[in-house]
């Protein structure tokens, strides 16, 4: 880690942004994986070559609810962090 302390502030900023982007991509991949798994298990009783209309509707609604829930939790968590940081 001593190599990081030798970086200029611009380079540290670039490194931090790259790490943030990598974390965001990893979070998006995890969200997609969890959503796919949960919605597949909930909506698909007999896997086949095609989804019937009820399975398509179930998957669509499940994904919408999952994303809405994720966004609500993310906003609530972010707001709480901001409140906690403002108390410091």
């Amino acid at each position: 880690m001593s190599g990081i302390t030798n970086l200029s502030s611009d380079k540290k900023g670039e490194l931090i942004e790259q790490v943030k982007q990598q974390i965001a991509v990893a979070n998006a991949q995890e969200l997609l994986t969890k959503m796919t798994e949960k919605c597949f298990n909930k909506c698909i009783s007999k896997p086949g070559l095609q989804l019937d209309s009820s399975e398509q509707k179930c998957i669509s609604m499940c994904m919408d609810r999952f994303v809405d829930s994720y966004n609500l939790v993310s906003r609530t968590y972010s707001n709480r962090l901001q409140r906690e940081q403002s108390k410091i």
Side-chain angles (χ1 to χ4, degrees):
M1 288 297 248
S2 64
I4 292 174
T5 58
N6 294 334
L7 293 175
S8 70
S9 62
D10 287 343
K11 291 293 181 184
K12 284 181 188 176
E14 288 176 26
L15 182 59
I16 288 170
E17 285 306 310
Q18 288 175 356
V19 169
K20 285 181 181 179
Q21 288 174 3
Q22 290 172 352
I23 289 170
V25 168
N27 285 338
Q29 288 172 332
E30 182 179 355
L31 173 66
L32 184 59
T33 299
K34 285 182 180 179
M35 181 174 53
T36 301
E37 181 180 313
K38 288 184 184 291
C39 293
F40 181 88
N41 290 337
K42 177 180 173 36
C43 298
I44 310 300
S45 56
K46 294 185 227 174
L49 296 177
Q50 294 181 330
L51 299 175
D52 64 31
S53 62
S54 63
E55 290 171 331
Q56 289 177 14
K57 185 175 180 178
C58 180
I59 293 228
S60 178
M61 291 175 64
C62 178
M63 292 173 68
D64 287 346
R65 282 192 308 268
F66 196 95
V67 170
D68 288 344
S69 298
Y70 178 83
N71 287 337
L72 175 64
V73 169
S74 294
R75 278 193 309 272
T76 302
Y77 180 69
S78 177
N79 289 340
R80 183 173 181 179
L81 282 177
Q82 287 176 354
R83 282 194 311 269
E84 293 295 323
Q85 289 176 348
S86 68
K87 289 180 184 179
I88 297 175

